[in-house]
Amino acid sequence: MENEIKVVDTKERSRYEALDADGSLMGFVDYRLHPGVISFLHAETLPDFRGRGVAGRIATKSLDDARALGLRVKPACPFYQDYLEQHPEYADLVKRPGEES
């Protein structure tokens, strides 16, 4: 199925990856895990897959996982900063400057 997107946490690479039905990499976000906090550093959708909602699917999965794990989110990546502004349902996850984790 052409629209199938599977998002996985590739812990050994510290990144979430979006894969198509054939297992080809579509996009990713690098992250750094700290006690109680996950920082999203760099999101990228590969050129052949842009405009298909790949980055949004990665963001949703990674933020849902952060919530399930009780982690605060530090959006260091511009894409995540914009995504969080557009999706207030995740606002409670955002770590504010100076806030304890």
Side-chain angles (χ1 to χ4, degrees), residues 6-11 14-17 29 31 33 36-40 56-73 80 83-84 89-90 92-93:
K6 179 180 178 182
V7 178
V8 295
D9 181 1
T10 309
K11 293 180 172 115
S14 296
R15 72 184 196 174
Y16 278 85
E17 297 178 341
V29 64
Y31 66 81
L33 201 52
V37 179
I38 187 167
S39 298
F40 293 107
R57 291 283 298 275
I58 295 170
T60 299
K61 170 70 170 145
S62 61
L63 293 167
D64 287 346
D65 284 359
R67 176 171 279 135
L69 295 169
L71 297 173
R72 302 293 282 171
V73 170
Y80 270 73
Y83 189 88
L84 287 163
E89 65 271 25
Y90 292 111
D92 62 303
L93 298 176

Side-chain angles (χ1 to χ4, degrees), residues 1-10 13 15-28 49 54 57-58:
M1 178 180 199
E2 186 177 316
N3 292 337
E4 185 177 333
I5 301 172
K6 179 180 178 182
V7 178
V8 295
D9 181 1
T10 309
R13 291 186 177 160
R15 72 184 196 174
Y16 278 85
E17 297 178 341
L19 308 172
D20 68 9
D22 296 325
S24 297
L25 183 66
M26 301 174 79
F28 62 90
F49 300 104
V54 173
R57 291 283 298 275
I58 295 170

